Amino acid sequence: MRIAVIGAGIGGLTVAAGLGADGHEAVVYERREDPGAVGAGLTLFGNAFGALDEIGLGERVREVSSDAVARMRAGQRAPSGDWLASLPPGAVPSLHSLHRAELHRVLQEALPWGSLRLGSHARVAASGEPVVTVDGVEEPFDLVVAADGLRSDARTCLGLDRGVRYAGCTAWRGVTSAGLDLRREAGETWGRGKIFGIVPLPDARVYWFATESTDAGRRADDEREALRARFGDWHAPIVSCIDATPAEAILRHDIHDLAALPASFVKGRTVLLGDAAHAMTPNLGQGAGQAIEDAATLVLLLRGVRRAGDLGSALARYSALRRKRTRLVWRQSRLMGRVAQASHPVSAALRDTLLRAAPAAAMSRGALRLHRWTAS
Ligand SMILES: Cc1cc2nc3c(=O)[nH]c(=O)nc-3n(C[C@H](O)[C@H](O)[C@H](O)COP(=O)(O)OP(=O)(O)OC[C@H]3O[C@@H](n4cnc5c(N)ncnc54)[C@H](O)[C@@H]3O)c2cc1C
């Protein structure tokens, strides 16, 4: 089939690489001139690797990832450094971390030569007919995959949009310019309305993120100073992470998710994939993982399409499978965000007490269920 993919983010690149490997002709439209990744680090769990393995991309991504975090003590700490809950090294063996730019590079290298069209702002047909319009010129396809992110124009144009919601917090992200000794400890530190996360990258540099419950749209003249003011008295090596990151390399974004998932991820022969279908808060570290699961599911379902009539049922199955799975993760992410960002002293204290009392085995079992994906 000739398949148009709109958006060269993690979701679009993964599906295009998988489709290309299966012999489909995939054309990827990306509105940006520079397809390099904006962002810092990323964590991917076993579900993402299970999906990548199914479409032949797992090894390439493992090569640029590190499992160092899975070999550390990880969990949630209080700002003093006391552990609220932790899993022993090896409890989540599938957890890998990597730099987003590396993931984008590997996925782009897996695309058939010449399939990426940069600087191309693409529009879908409102009817779901498989046609893409760029600069007023229409191009017909057999299928269109819209992987155009949180504020997907395709979702709106298809009449599937149910709104975007501000999650009530802003997030900073950075990568240290040199390695730091983490003393074999990683994970998140939860304060009142604030979180700081530490993740080792493959080259010993550290990817960190911070969040704060606040109004949308606020910015500081110097974000590094703003972070020092908020996290300066938190446990080591939090301040070292901030200090070891060039101020101009610190990213800040307000966090949004979809207010409600679209009733279907498919209209006619146009499919929503990744954040366009189910943008979620980052609290479970699953947004990209779910985009990768979407991509593998679509690629595998299209392998079963032998006649034109099969395509409709494959797409209906894609929507049913992926909507069910992502709705659960989207909801859990939102719930986790509420708990982790608790700002009232009473609710934050209750949260900490419950976390201290939670048995590690039960937490690990819950995580394993989320982090498993098989080509059912
Ligand atoms: C702070 C933070 C931390 C996160 N951490 C993690 C994590 O650790 N693990 C994880 O799995 N997920 C994480 N996520 C989520 C993850 O980043 C996203 O879910 C994922 O990147 C979504 O990929 P995507 O390809 O669906 O969309 P995007 O990355 O948004 O890509 C969409 C692409 O489409 C292009 N585009 C848009 N409109 C058009 C158009 N009309 N024509 C052509 N091109 C267009 C855009 O330019 C963009 O390149 C995090 C998110 C945040 C905000």
Side-chain angles (χ1 to χ4, degrees):
M1 283 190 269
R2 279 197 86 229
I3 302 176
V5 177
I6 302 181
I10 295 168
L13 290 174
T14 307
V15 77
L19 292 169
D22 274 9
H24 298 289
E25 185 191 341
V27 177
V28 185
Y29 296 94
E30 170 54 52
R31 66 182 170 191
R32 287 179 296 138
E33 295 287 349
D34 168 16
V38 178
L42 192 73
T43 50
L44 291 178
F45 294 87
N47 58 308
F49 283 98
L52 287 167
D53 284 337
E54 286 288 342
I55 54 173
L57 294 168
E59 273 320 302
R60 298 187 210 201
V61 177
R62 273 188 199 89
E63 274 170 20
V64 294
S65 311
S66 164
D67 65 352
V69 65
R71 289 183 274 108
M72 295 180 169
R73 182 178 186 188
Q76 288 82 21
R77 284 184 266 191
S80 63
D82 289 346
W83 286 93
L84 299 169
S86 71
L87 295 174
V92 188
S94 65
L95 176 55
H96 281 64
S97 56
L98 69 168
H99 202 292
R100 275 176 193 259
E102 283 294 282
L103 179 59
H104 271 244
R105 182 180 63 74
V106 164
L107 293 174
Q108 272 181 51
E109 284 174 5
L111 292 181
W113 196 82
S115 48
L116 187 54
R117 297 194 191 165
L118 296 175
S120 300
H121 192 118
R123 287 186 62 81
V124 300
S127 60
E129 196 191 334
V131 174
V132 164
T133 307
V134 178
D135 292 334
V137 179
E138 277 190 3
E139 199 169 338
F141 288 89
D142 298 308
L143 178 68
V144 175
V145 180
D148 52 347
L150 166 75
R151 298 190 188 277
S152 163
D153 282 347
R155 191 179 61 233
T156 307
C157 181
L158 294 166
L160 296 172
D161 188 44
R162 296 169 78 189
V164 167
R165 177 198 74 122
Y166 177 52
C169 62
T170 192
W172 295 263
R173 283 177 283 176
V175 174
T176 61
S177 49
L180 280 184
D181 182 7
L182 296 179
R183 298 169 186 248
R184 299 181 66 79
E185 293 179 333
E188 296 187 353
T189 303
W190 290 2
R192 281 172 39 200
K194 288 189 285 186
I195 300 174
F196 199 97
I198 293 178
V199 182
L201 286 175
D203 55 6
R205 287 185 299 161
V206 176
Y207 159 51
W208 57 263
F209 54 89
T211 64
E212 183 186 46
S213 301
T214 183
D215 297 334
R218 296 214 178 150
R219 291 294 176 268
D221 292 337
D222 182 338
E223 297 292 358
R224 193 160 64 166
E225 269 313 312
L227 284 159
R228 282 197 193 109
R230 286 161 176 78
F231 298 95
D233 57 351
W234 286 31
H235 67 81
I238 287 176
V239 177
S240 309
C241 288
I242 298 169
D243 287 345
T245 307
E248 65 281 6
I250 295 177
L251 302 169
R252 180 169 178 181
H253 294 101
D254 294 333
I255 300 294
H256 294 83
D257 65 357
L258 293 193
L261 299 201
S264 170
F265 289 176
V266 174
K267 182 165 177 190
R269 290 215 191 157
T270 302
V271 171
L272 296 178
L273 183 146
D275 276 9
H278 46 66
M280 53 188 71
T281 65
N283 300 85
L284 294 176
Q286 275 289 341
Q290 293 305 311
I292 291 170
E293 284 188 16
D294 291 347
T297 304
L298 187 61
V299 170
L300 296 182
L301 285 168
L302 293 185
R303 283 183 193 166
V305 174
R306 303 266 172 262
R307 301 174 309 254
D310 295 341
L311 183 57
S313 46
L315 299 184
R317 185 136 174 75
Y318 166 82
S319 180
L321 282 170
R322 295 310 304 154
R323 198 171 177 280
K324 186 172 172 208
R325 164 76 164 159
T326 54
R327 192 153 172 265
L328 189 80
V329 186
W330 165 80
R331 271 193 176 159
Q332 284 185 3
S333 276
R334 190 179 270 197
L335 179 65
M336 181 63 115
R338 276 203 201 113
V339 173
Q341 287 292 142
S343 5
H344 192 278
V346 175
S347 45
L350 180 65
R351 172 200 69 192
D352 293 355
T353 307
L354 290 173
L355 261 181
R356 283 197 179 94
M363 287 173 59
S364 158
R365 267 200 307 279
L368 284 177
R369 264 199 303 278
L370 180 68
H371 300 154
R372 197 179 301 131
W373 182 84
T374 50
S376 56

mmCIF file of all heavy atoms in Angstrom, residues 271-297:
data_model
loop_
_atom_site.group_PDB
_atom_site.id
_atom_site.type_symbol
_atom_site.label_atom_id
_atom_site.label_comp_id
_atom_site.label_asym_id
_atom_site.label_seq_id
_atom_site.Cartn_x
_atom_site.Cartn_y
_atom_site.Cartn_z
ATOM 1 N N VAL A 271 -6.227 7.333 10.171
ATOM 2 C CA VAL A 271 -6.014 6.732 11.487
ATOM 3 C C VAL A 271 -5.272 7.733 12.375
ATOM 4 O O VAL A 271 -4.325 8.367 11.921
ATOM 5 C CB VAL A 271 -5.115 5.479 11.294
ATOM 6 C CG1 VAL A 271 -4.661 4.915 12.612
ATOM 7 C CG2 VAL A 271 -5.818 4.430 10.474
ATOM 8 N N LEU A 272 -5.689 7.854 13.629
ATOM 9 C CA LEU A 272 -4.922 8.665 14.583
ATOM 10 C C LEU A 272 -3.943 7.757 15.325
ATOM 11 O O LEU A 272 -4.288 6.629 15.684
ATOM 12 C CB LEU A 272 -5.852 9.317 15.611
ATOM 13 C CG LEU A 272 -6.866 10.335 15.100
ATOM 14 C CD1 LEU A 272 -7.736 10.830 16.265
ATOM 15 C CD2 LEU A 272 -6.179 11.516 14.416
ATOM 16 N N LEU A 273 -2.741 8.277 15.618
ATOM 17 C CA LEU A 273 -1.715 7.465 16.273
ATOM 18 C C LEU A 273 -0.893 8.354 17.216
ATOM 19 O O LEU A 273 -0.616 9.517 16.912
ATOM 20 C CB LEU A 273 -0.835 6.839 15.183
ATOM 21 C CG LEU A 273 0.272 5.882 15.602
ATOM 22 C CD1 LEU A 273 0.451 4.782 14.540
ATOM 23 C CD2 LEU A 273 1.587 6.596 15.810
ATOM 24 N N GLY A 274 -0.497 7.821 18.355
ATOM 25 C CA GLY A 274 0.362 8.554 19.294
ATOM 26 C C GLY A 274 -0.411 9.646 20.032
ATOM 27 O O GLY A 274 -1.616 9.524 20.284
ATOM 28 N N ASP A 275 0.291 10.747 20.357
ATOM 29 C CA ASP A 275 -0.346 11.826 21.113
ATOM 30 C C ASP A 275 -1.588 12.363 20.413
ATOM 31 O O ASP A 275 -2.511 12.860 21.072
ATOM 32 C CB ASP A 275 0.646 12.978 21.336
ATOM 33 C CG ASP A 275 1.542 12.733 22.544
ATOM 34 O OD1 ASP A 275 1.513 11.610 23.096
ATOM 35 O OD2 ASP A 275 2.271 13.664 22.957
ATOM 36 N N ALA A 276 -1.635 12.300 19.103
ATOM 37 C CA ALA A 276 -2.822 12.775 18.377
ATOM 38 C C ALA A 276 -4.061 12.025 18.846
ATOM 39 O O ALA A 276 -5.155 12.575 18.912
ATOM 40 C CB ALA A 276 -2.630 12.578 16.876
ATOM 41 N N ALA A 277 -3.899 10.758 19.212
ATOM 42 C CA ALA A 277 -5.036 9.920 19.623
ATOM 43 C C ALA A 277 -5.255 9.943 21.127
ATOM 44 O O ALA A 277 -6.395 9.865 21.601
ATOM 45 C CB ALA A 277 -4.806 8.481 19.171
ATOM 46 N N HIS A 278 -4.133 10.039 21.912
ATOM 47 C CA HIS A 278 -4.295 9.796 23.357
ATOM 48 C C HIS A 278 -3.257 10.520 24.209
ATOM 49 O O HIS A 278 -2.728 9.937 25.157
ATOM 50 C CB HIS A 278 -4.240 8.286 23.637
ATOM 51 C CG HIS A 278 -3.096 7.591 22.934
ATOM 52 N ND1 HIS A 278 -1.772 7.836 23.243
ATOM 53 C CD2 HIS A 278 -3.094 6.669 21.934
ATOM 54 C CE1 HIS A 278 -1.010 7.087 22.461
ATOM 55 N NE2 HIS A 278 -1.773 6.378 21.659
ATOM 56 N N ALA A 279 -2.940 11.776 23.893
ATOM 57 C CA ALA A 279 -1.922 12.491 24.681
ATOM 58 C C ALA A 279 -2.251 12.375 26.165
ATOM 59 O O ALA A 279 -3.383 12.618 26.589
ATOM 60 C CB ALA A 279 -1.875 13.953 24.257
ATOM 61 N N MET A 280 -1.259 11.969 26.935
ATOM 62 C CA MET A 280 -1.461 11.729 28.371
ATOM 63 C C MET A 280 -0.428 12.509 29.172
ATOM 64 O O MET A 280 0.573 12.972 28.606
ATOM 65 C CB MET A 280 -1.352 10.223 28.664
ATOM 66 C CG MET A 280 -0.093 9.580 28.166
ATOM 67 S SD MET A 280 -0.116 7.766 28.328
ATOM 68 C CE MET A 280 -1.285 7.267 27.077
ATOM 69 N N THR A 281 -0.634 12.640 30.456
ATOM 70 C CA THR A 281 0.374 13.309 31.281
ATOM 71 C C THR A 281 1.607 12.388 31.362
ATOM 72 O O THR A 281 1.493 11.172 31.181
ATOM 73 C CB THR A 281 -0.146 13.595 32.703
ATOM 74 O OG1 THR A 281 -0.368 12.338 33.358
ATOM 75 C CG2 THR A 281 -1.431 14.406 32.693
ATOM 76 N N PRO A 282 2.788 12.973 31.651
ATOM 77 C CA PRO A 282 3.993 12.124 31.616
ATOM 78 C C PRO A 282 4.230 11.325 32.896
ATOM 79 O O PRO A 282 5.281 10.702 33.038
ATOM 80 C CB PRO A 282 5.120 13.145 31.405
ATOM 81 C CG PRO A 282 4.597 14.431 31.884
ATOM 82 C CD PRO A 282 3.108 14.398 31.775
ATOM 83 N N ASN A 283 3.255 11.271 33.796
ATOM 84 C CA ASN A 283 3.518 10.692 35.129
ATOM 85 C C ASN A 283 3.859 9.208 35.133
ATOM 86 O O ASN A 283 4.479 8.720 36.069
ATOM 87 C CB ASN A 283 2.334 10.962 36.060
ATOM 88 C CG ASN A 283 2.117 12.441 36.217
ATOM 89 O OD1 ASN A 283 1.444 13.051 35.394
ATOM 90 N ND2 ASN A 283 2.723 13.044 37.233
ATOM 91 N N LEU A 284 3.450 8.478 34.106
ATOM 92 C CA LEU A 284 3.826 7.058 34.047
ATOM 93 C C LEU A 284 4.936 6.814 33.032
ATOM 94 O O LEU A 284 5.325 5.672 32.803
ATOM 95 C CB LEU A 284 2.610 6.184 33.695
ATOM 96 C CG LEU A 284 1.495 6.138 34.733
ATOM 97 C CD1 LEU A 284 0.319 5.312 34.196
ATOM 98 C CD2 LEU A 284 1.977 5.525 36.051
ATOM 99 N N GLY A 285 5.426 7.880 32.382
ATOM 100 C CA GLY A 285 6.477 7.723 31.371
ATOM 101 C C GLY A 285 6.038 6.803 30.250
ATOM 102 O O GLY A 285 6.793 5.942 29.810
ATOM 103 N N GLN A 286 4.806 6.978 29.769
ATOM 104 C CA GLN A 286 4.242 6.012 28.814
ATOM 105 C C GLN A 286 3.772 6.625 27.488
ATOM 106 O O GLN A 286 3.332 5.888 26.612
ATOM 107 C CB GLN A 286 3.064 5.271 29.458
ATOM 108 C CG GLN A 286 3.476 4.074 30.292
ATOM 109 C CD GLN A 286 3.978 2.914 29.436
ATOM 110 O OE1 GLN A 286 3.725 2.827 28.255
ATOM 111 N NE2 GLN A 286 4.748 2.016 30.046
ATOM 112 N N GLY A 287 3.841 7.964 27.327
ATOM 113 C CA GLY A 287 3.291 8.565 26.099
ATOM 114 C C GLY A 287 3.947 8.002 24.846
ATOM 115 O O GLY A 287 3.264 7.554 23.914
ATOM 116 N N ALA A 288 5.274 8.009 24.829
ATOM 117 C CA ALA A 288 5.984 7.502 23.652
ATOM 118 C C ALA A 288 5.822 5.986 23.564
ATOM 119 O O ALA A 288 5.675 5.424 22.470
ATOM 120 C CB ALA A 288 7.457 7.882 23.725
ATOM 121 N N GLY A 289 5.827 5.314 24.718
ATOM 122 C CA GLY A 289 5.654 3.859 24.726
ATOM 123 C C GLY A 289 4.323 3.471 24.098
ATOM 124 O O GLY A 289 4.235 2.502 23.328
ATOM 125 N N GLN A 290 3.271 4.226 24.391
ATOM 126 C CA GLN A 290 1.961 3.919 23.805
ATOM 127 C C GLN A 290 1.928 4.240 22.308
ATOM 128 O O GLN A 290 1.277 3.531 21.541
ATOM 129 C CB GLN A 290 0.856 4.671 24.556
ATOM 130 C CG GLN A 290 0.651 4.196 25.990
ATOM 131 C CD GLN A 290 0.393 2.692 26.068
ATOM 132 O OE1 GLN A 290 -0.439 2.154 25.351
ATOM 133 N NE2 GLN A 290 1.129 2.000 26.932
ATOM 134 N N ALA A 291 2.650 5.303 21.906
ATOM 135 C CA ALA A 291 2.723 5.615 20.465
ATOM 136 C C ALA A 291 3.412 4.458 19.736
ATOM 137 O O ALA A 291 3.006 4.063 18.633
ATOM 138 C CB ALA A 291 3.495 6.919 20.253
ATOM 139 N N ILE A 292 4.432 3.888 20.371
ATOM 140 C CA ILE A 292 5.159 2.763 19.759
ATOM 141 C C ILE A 292 4.260 1.523 19.706
ATOM 142 O O ILE A 292 4.236 0.792 18.705
ATOM 143 C CB ILE A 292 6.469 2.504 20.550
ATOM 144 C CG1 ILE A 292 7.444 3.667 20.318
ATOM 145 C CG2 ILE A 292 7.096 1.175 20.157
ATOM 146 C CD1 ILE A 292 8.661 3.663 21.229
ATOM 147 N N GLU A 293 3.485 1.291 20.768
ATOM 148 C CA GLU A 293 2.520 0.167 20.736
ATOM 149 C C GLU A 293 1.510 0.366 19.602
ATOM 150 O O GLU A 293 1.171 -0.582 18.886
ATOM 151 C CB GLU A 293 1.752 0.065 22.063
ATOM 152 C CG GLU A 293 2.536 -0.527 23.217
ATOM 153 C CD GLU A 293 1.624 -0.769 24.423
ATOM 154 O OE1 GLU A 293 0.387 -0.771 24.267
ATOM 155 O OE2 GLU A 293 2.165 -0.942 25.531
ATOM 156 N N ASP A 294 1.012 1.610 19.433
ATOM 157 C CA ASP A 294 0.068 1.896 18.331
ATOM 158 C C ASP A 294 0.701 1.500 17.007
ATOM 159 O O ASP A 294 0.065 0.853 16.157
ATOM 160 C CB ASP A 294 -0.219 3.404 18.203
ATOM 161 C CG ASP A 294 -1.012 4.003 19.345
ATOM 162 O OD1 ASP A 294 -1.576 3.254 20.151
ATOM 163 O OD2 ASP A 294 -1.063 5.254 19.403
ATOM 164 N N ALA A 295 1.961 1.952 16.828
ATOM 165 C CA ALA A 295 2.650 1.741 15.552
ATOM 166 C C ALA A 295 2.777 0.244 15.266
ATOM 167 O O ALA A 295 2.452 -0.213 14.156
ATOM 168 C CB ALA A 295 4.025 2.407 15.591
ATOM 169 N N ALA A 296 3.220 -0.519 16.266
ATOM 170 C CA ALA A 296 3.406 -1.961 16.042
ATOM 171 C C ALA A 296 2.059 -2.630 15.760
ATOM 172 O O ALA A 296 1.948 -3.494 14.881
ATOM 173 C CB ALA A 296 4.078 -2.593 17.255
ATOM 174 N N THR A 297 1.018 -2.222 16.488
ATOM 175 C CA THR A 297 -0.308 -2.831 16.288
ATOM 176 C C THR A 297 -0.788 -2.602 14.859
ATOM 177 O O THR A 297 -1.270 -3.524 14.196
ATOM 178 C CB THR A 297 -1.320 -2.232 17.297
ATOM 179 O OG1 THR A 297 -0.809 -2.428 18.608
ATOM 180 C CG2 THR A 297 -2.677 -2.871 17.179
#
